[in-house]
Amino acid sequence: MIKNIKLAYGMLSPSLIWLLIFLVVPIGMITVISFTTNEGYGGILYEFSLEAYKTTFSSMYVKVIWNSIVWSLGATLICLLLAYPFAYFIAHAGKWKNMLLLLVMIPFWTNLLVRLYAWIILLNNEGVINALLMKLGIISEPITMLYTPFAIIVGLVYGFLPFMILPIYSSIEQLDKSYLEAAEDLGANPIKTFLTVTLPLTFPGVLAGFIITFVPALSVFVVTDLMTGSKLLMVGNVIRDAFVVGMNWQLGSALSILLMILVLISVFVFLRFTSSKDKNLLM
Amino acid sequence: MRPRTKKILSIYTVLIFMFFYIPIAILMAFSFNDSKVGTVWTGFTVDWYVSLFSNEQILTAAYNSLLIAVVTTIIATICGTLAALAFHRYSFPGKKALDFLFYIPVVIPDIVVAVALLALYGWLQVTLGLSTVLPGHVAITISYVMLVVLARLAGLDNQLEEAAKDLGANEWHTFWKVTFPLISPGILAGALLAFTISLDEFVITYFTSGPSANTLPVLVYSMVRMGVSPEINALSTILVLLIIITVMVVGKRMHIGNREG
């Protein structure tokens, strides 16, 4: 590798300047804002205060944070259970592999809002599922499914399932088949081979999938917004409202910092348990 | 895989695909429904598409989305490619810390980036509009371009560059004649990723665009919030069809097994 500091920094400078001004400095700003005093109506008085963090840990917001973690963690686990066998099949589908992968990419690239809207049509009181169940005589009155935690979980799972499938798929696909043959030759049955060879070797993919599903699921606000009409809240909703509606930038900043810390902890855990080679599974 | 396992798994796979596609199919079907409300099929119509294409707001939003995505892609591709080349070729102090910097936009939740930018604009007292959307889009896409191009560079055979130099080509010549053609698929993949991320981006746009400058995702959001109307179905159907066509065309051309390109 060549040592040419001037040229290297010259080539890096456009990106660095952009990231510093529009990413690092702004995140620094909300960190500062989270420790300032609220003057009301969005006013910021630059006097040190822990008020925002105290509010964050008041019972109402703790409940919101708790709900966000429970719902997003629950949805992530469901995604994992749904995704693993699915990814396993696709990775072993031979000539159909690329075709099936294309079919996963379509929902992956379709805008989340569009996909959530599709579920509103289904889950509505006058929606497709209720209409169908009533026609079949299974129920006589529509079941309320929108505006419930059920709708949130459906929205999260539907929204983020492809995020779980892709890294698991690529770790299964990259699996060195000779290990499987060795296990078989040594007399392990398929179940044992799966549990002792396949699963541990594809663990980095599972962990990567877990993080890139959990992080956006934890911070998303459109799922609760559209599926429950903001009746149920997640951290993202509170941050949005603090900045846009309530004009309490201190509270919004404090919650953002907290969210960021939660995310960084989970990424750190990921990096601890995986080699550097697997780092790019996160993408 | 044993035949029985394979059979069970294939049925399972079909079920997951149904889970993916039935909601989208129903959404598309209802874009042709005559009835304005409810889910009762009253007859076939293309009225919603007609009213869609005469809706000034939607056309403006589509234009804004494309404009932002194109400009974002150009800036992010140039910056990200240069950064990847610097990381790949040179050793310099602070390399590790700077590498970390590029991972920030990949792991930090977009809502944090969005409110942080809002705080910056508030402090600078900038009026929100289309121009305030761009910096956020570029900031998050630079990293993706950089990582994709870097992955391509990592797979490159260094001997080719050395051979060019041995044969008397200078740095500049080696880059344009050897390195650039070799990494151009990576650059293209990075640019494409930046374009689709920008086109699809909702959260940062929602916070930094102000009331007058809608993009398509922001418009879809406000339409859905206002209430169910078959016009959203029509708009969504068009968006989904565009995605299907793009994925099919791009997927055919590129080896999609690895998204690194």
Side-chain angles (χ1 to χ4, degrees), chain A residues 78-99:
Chain A
I78 295 172
C79 283
L80 175 59
L81 293 176
L82 292 176
Y84 200 98
F86 181 76
Y88 189 87
F89 181 81
I90 296 183
H92 290 92
K95 64 178 167 122
W96 293 99
K97 202 158 66 177
N98 280 355
M99 182 64 206

Side-chain angles (χ1 to χ4, degrees), chain B residues 15-199:
Chain B
L15 287 176
I16 297 279
F17 275 125
M18 283 167 69
F19 173 65
F20 271 141
Y21 282 99
I22 288 179
I24 296 175
I26 289 174
L27 168 107
M28 290 173 142
F30 277 106
S31 71
F32 298 104
N33 189 7
D34 210 2
S35 150
K36 190 159 173 66
V37 282
T39 47
V40 187
W41 186 265
T42 50
F44 183 87
T45 178
V46 289
D47 283 359
W48 310 117
Y49 289 88
V50 175
S51 66
L52 198 64
F53 281 107
S54 50
N55 187 329
E56 201 74 34
Q57 244 191 328
I58 289 171
L59 296 178
T60 312
Y63 172 77
N64 287 346
S65 285
L66 274 176
L67 183 68
I68 295 271
V70 168
V71 180
T72 298
T73 305
I74 293 170
I75 300 175
T77 306
I78 294 171
C79 293
T81 304
L82 281 173
L85 283 166
F87 271 113
H88 181 70
R89 300 188 139 192
Y90 302 116
S91 65
F92 49 89
K95 197 171 179 177
K96 260 234 147 105
L98 292 180
D99 180 52
F100 176 75
L101 182 66
F102 281 88
Y103 273 92
I104 296 180
V106 182
V107 290
I108 296 274
D110 42 9
I111 190 168
V112 176
V113 179
V115 297
L117 277 168
L118 190 63
L120 175 76
Y121 295 145
W123 182 65
L124 294 173
Q125 301 192 325
V126 197
T127 317
L128 298 181
L130 264 194
S131 53
T132 47
V133 173
L134 189 70
H137 280 222
V138 174
I140 56 164
T141 47
I142 279 182
S143 301
Y144 287 96
V145 175
M146 192 285 250
L147 292 169
V148 169
V149 176
L150 199 60
R152 179 81 194 181
L153 280 165
L156 210 63
D157 188 356
N158 283 332
Q159 285 177 334
L160 288 170
E161 285 180 331
E162 278 160 28
K165 277 182 202 151
D166 287 347
L167 292 170
N170 61 25
E171 267 301 307
W172 190 244
H173 234 89
T174 311
F175 178 76
W176 281 114
K177 294 282 176 190
V178 180
T179 318
F180 185 75
L182 285 172
I183 61 167
S184 59
I187 298 175
L188 193 68
L192 206 68
L193 192 59
F195 184 78
T196 45
I197 290 174
S198 170
L199 205 60

